Amino acid sequence: MSATRYRRFLKLCEEWPRDDSKKGRDLGTFLRQRVASAFREGEMTQISDPEKCDQMYESLARINTNVYRERFPRVRDTSFTGVTVEECKLLLSGSMQQMQQMDEEKKGLWKTLMERFSAKSPEDGPEKAPEK
């Protein structure tokens, strides 16, 4: 029975996408490493908790087949910050040169907020509460 589980996990690892822009942080690579360590003896590996193993496989398979993405579709592909999917991927890739280039092309939300709130002149002073 562990041979069947092993083959299912191998098939899942083959289907799981790998993101080369996230060296050392890629979920697909991590999954492959965990399967290799869990099934050291391949098909001959004895599984101590088959139910937990099956649950883990089913959860990963649902994520891989986008079950939740289809069940709960998003209205827009941006977050509350307004960052697009491409910009988010760029930020998560860790490429500083690309991040600086993006920063020059488009100011971020943080910079916009900082400029807006630091635009007060020192002459204005703190605002006083209205007197009663």
Side-chain angles (χ1 to χ4, degrees):
M1 194 62 154
S2 65
T4 305
R5 287 184 180 92
Y6 176 65
R7 285 189 213 112
R8 286 173 42 189
F9 270 102
L10 283 181
K11 186 170 176 13
L12 180 67
C13 287
E14 288 174 9
E15 294 172 357
W16 201 282
R18 213 181 262 176
D19 190 354
D20 293 329
S21 67
K22 297 179 186 174
K23 300 264 189 231
R25 299 179 294 128
D26 180 41
L27 184 58
T29 304
F30 177 76
L31 177 64
R32 287 167 179 80
Q33 291 170 348
R34 287 294 304 257
V35 169
S37 67
F39 291 95
R40 284 188 196 103
E41 299 172 18
E43 294 181 355
M44 302 306 292
T45 303
Q46 295 297 317
I47 298 172
S48 60
D49 192 356
E51 289 179 16
K52 185 176 179 182
C53 181
D54 291 340
Q55 280 181 330
M56 290 169 72
Y57 172 79
E58 294 299 328
S59 296
L60 290 168
R62 283 192 301 268
I63 293 170
N64 190 41
T65 56
N66 290 323
V67 168
Y68 300 108
R69 184 177 185 177
E70 293 169 6
R71 188 179 298 171
F72 305 106
R74 298 184 67 164
V75 178
R76 286 180 236 120
D77 284 336
T78 61
S79 64
F80 73 96
T81 61
V83 177
T84 64
V85 174
E86 292 79 23
E87 292 170 335
C88 190
K89 285 181 181 180
L90 183 63
L91 290 170
L92 290 174
S93 72
S95 174
M96 291 304 292
Q97 184 181 20
Q98 291 175 342
M99 287 178 12
Q100 289 172 350
Q101 181 182 9
M102 185 185 77
D103 193 33
E104 291 171 5
E105 291 175 4
K106 180 180 175 184
K107 277 195 293 187
L109 175 66
W110 181 251
K111 285 187 178 184
T112 305
L113 290 174
M114 289 300 291
E115 287 176 0
R116 187 174 296 157
F117 288 111
S118 66
K120 287 186 178 181
S121 66
E123 299 165 355
D124 293 342
E127 293 183 19
K128 294 182 181 179
E131 297 178 15
K132 292 182 180 179

